[in-house]
Amino acid sequence: MDKTLMKGLQVLDLLTQSPQPMGVTEVAQAMGLVKSNAHRVLQTLVAAGYATPVGDGGRYRPTLKLWSMGARVAGSADLRQVAAPVLAQLRDSTGETAFLALLDTAHVTYVEIQASTRALRVHTAVGARLPAHGTAAGKVLLAFDDAAVRAVLADQDPARFTSRTLVDPAALDTELKKIRSQKWAANRGEFREEISGLAVPVFDAHQNAIASAGISGPTERFRPAAIKKWLPLVQQAGEELSRMMGARS
């Protein structure tokens, strides 16, 4: 690992997080550097166009070069294309259908599917739109979207699809708070009795849950022991996708 490069990236990260321009002394103290080293790193960032001096007080702020680079990456990145190989690996490691889904207020839309090759499997199509409170993919996203949660909880008569569907606002609220804390959701026959799922959030660089990733399959295979076995694999896929979207570990 190139320690000099890492140090420069860490200082740049520090500047982007500061609401005000930072001086050499502040940077040195925050990073545990001597002032001469901090000054040298800042000057390197200035020379590369990532930072700029502010006034005559020896203070620095980041430039918009990072924003420009990020905008180009975001504009060229196809979320489905990025997710496909990760989901394919998740499918192969679990044997179940792997998916990527987006929240649309009270519904969730599946934007990428890597179908299981098993004879008995879930047939979910790209573009399928399902009620969020009845699916693992939707519940894990509701848990991180306060506005969507309020909309769902405000519904005095949420749809019940099976005997396991959470329709009581208090029970659903409790479930979503638990999901937010543990960062994963399970569904065992809450939308269709024969279908179950497991999902985790995918975060962006601002720690917003922008999508959910997970697996779904026949309820008979989604027993507690299987969920316990598959959860680390689903979490690994979610973390990998989050890193691709710029999230920190």
Side-chain angles (χ1 to χ4, degrees):
M1 179 176 65
D2 190 320
K3 294 182 179 180
T4 301
L5 175 59
M6 179 62 72
K7 192 181 302 178
L9 293 173
Q10 290 172 339
V11 170
L12 180 58
D13 189 37
L14 178 67
L15 292 178
T16 62
Q17 294 185 60
S18 175
Q20 303 293 334
M22 298 185 70
V24 174
T25 301
E26 292 174 294
V27 171
Q29 291 176 344
M31 298 295 300
L33 304 172
V34 297
K35 289 180 64 175
S36 60
N37 199 347
H39 183 264
R40 187 161 51 249
V41 172
L42 287 166
Q43 289 300 311
T44 300
L45 292 175
V46 170
Y50 292 100
T52 185
V54 178
D56 299 324
R59 305 182 73 80
Y60 300 82
R61 65 170 174 79
T63 67
L64 291 178
K65 185 173 183 177
L66 279 176
W67 178 86
S68 177
M69 293 170 63
R72 289 197 299 271
V73 171
S76 62
D78 183 327
L79 187 57
R80 287 186 62 193
Q81 184 178 359
V82 168
V86 177
L87 296 179
Q89 184 176 0
L90 179 60
R91 173 202 61 202
D92 294 343
S93 62
T94 63
E96 303 296 344
T97 294
F99 61 77
L100 183 77
L102 303 179
L103 187 65
D104 179 12
T105 313
H107 292 79
V108 65
T109 299
Y110 293 80
V111 296
E112 176 60 23
I113 299 289
Q114 292 291 320
S116 169
T117 58
R118 304 176 75 166
L120 185 60
R121 62 183 184 271
V122 171
H123 295 276
T124 303
V126 170
R129 189 170 182 264
L130 303 180
H133 71 287
T135 63
K139 288 194 298 181
V140 81
L141 289 174
L142 284 176
F144 287 89
D145 191 319
D146 294 337
V149 169
R150 287 194 296 271
V152 171
L153 295 180
D155 188 347
Q156 298 301 309
D157 189 26
R160 180 189 292 277
F161 305 101
T162 74
S163 61
R164 295 178 177 177
T165 308
L166 288 174
V167 294
D168 177 67
L172 181 57
D173 186 43
T174 298
E175 170 82 349
L176 294 177
K177 287 177 179 176
K178 176 184 176 183
I179 291 170
R180 182 164 184 149
S181 175
Q182 66 188 18
K183 294 185 174 63
W184 61 271
N187 153 45
R188 294 197 73 245
E190 293 169 38
F191 177 62
R192 294 285 184 267
E193 290 184 355
E194 67 276 14
I195 299 175
S196 292
L198 184 61
V200 298
V202 175
F203 296 101
D204 65 10
H206 303 289
Q207 295 305 304
N208 297 315
I210 59 172
S212 62
I215 55 174
S216 59
T219 296
E220 63 188 55
R221 293 205 293 260
F222 275 70
R223 301 186 183 278
I227 291 175
K228 183 178 180 179
K229 175 184 176 182
W230 291 331
L231 180 58
L233 300 173
V234 176
Q235 290 173 322
Q236 182 179 349
E239 290 167 2
E240 185 173 353
L241 289 170
S242 295
R243 285 194 296 271
M244 290 178 175
M245 294 298 106
R248 300 181 189 180
S249 301

